[in-house]
Amino acid sequence: MTPLTETAGVARRSRSAVSRAPLHEQVADLLRGLIVTGRLVPGEKLRITALARQLGVSLTPMREALKILAEEQLIELTPNRPTRVAAVTVADTRALFEVMAGIESQAAELAAHRMTPADLARLEALHTEMLQCFCQRDNEAYFALNSQLHDLIVECAGNPILAHVRAKLSLRARRVRFVAVNDGSRREAALAEHERVMAAFRAGDPDEARRAWRIHLLNSGAEVCRILAARDQSPE
């Protein structure tokens, strides 16, 4: 079964249930998931008419969905050229993580100031579950929990402007983070960095939380760049 066939099944099931999201947003969500998790690979050509047929939608919501994904820089939508999944380059990834490190480390600092005991308990639960997935080598669950933990730290920061700016970049960051999660070469170091920020949260130390999370984001970005560079140099 191809990723698009799987997606068509999901689309049919989602329309059988009550959904308040407009159809084009539902389509964008489905395609976004395939791109972020690498089931639609960088550079892959999207055959719009065939894709709409497989998903059981008309071309209008399909085109509106593609506009959303192009604004998120997940696809390349250029007049008179094939629509393709956007490439993932070393230069773009390095620049992206430099910005994300600044944003998310600021979020960690604010979160250490503002989180409640209930917030800390939620973070502890996610952190523990991530450790279990690491031991079980469950990459998909590990990736999902890792994303949730990053999201929750931003939520605990309690700054809607920061959250809005970070949301614009988070999909691209999750996409390239998935490369490193599947590679798995840095997961033990990443877990140690997660433990360091959790220790800062437990101690209520905003400065250490900022430092720890900035180091984690920069190290993650450097590792993804290393993996991408190695793949670029490998023979086809």
Side-chain angles (χ1 to χ4, degrees), residues 160-226:
I161 295 177
L162 183 150
H164 175 75
V165 173
R166 188 256 185 182
K168 293 291 186 180
L169 299 173
S170 63
L171 289 168
R172 294 172 63 194
R174 285 179 185 176
R175 184 186 181 201
V176 295
R177 273 198 190 108
F178 195 78
V179 172
V181 168
N182 277 343
D183 178 89
S185 60
R186 211 188 79 83
R187 206 170 309 159
E188 288 190 22
L191 282 171
E193 291 159 5
H194 275 246
E195 178 55 38
R196 180 178 171 184
V197 80
M198 290 303 302
F201 289 148
R202 295 177 194 122
D205 188 337
D207 290 337
E208 172 61 9
R210 183 189 68 251
R211 284 192 296 267
W213 216 221
R214 179 175 176 81
I215 288 170
H216 173 62
L217 269 293
L218 290 175
N219 285 347
S220 295
E223 178 65 3
V224 175
C225 288
R226 182 195 66 76

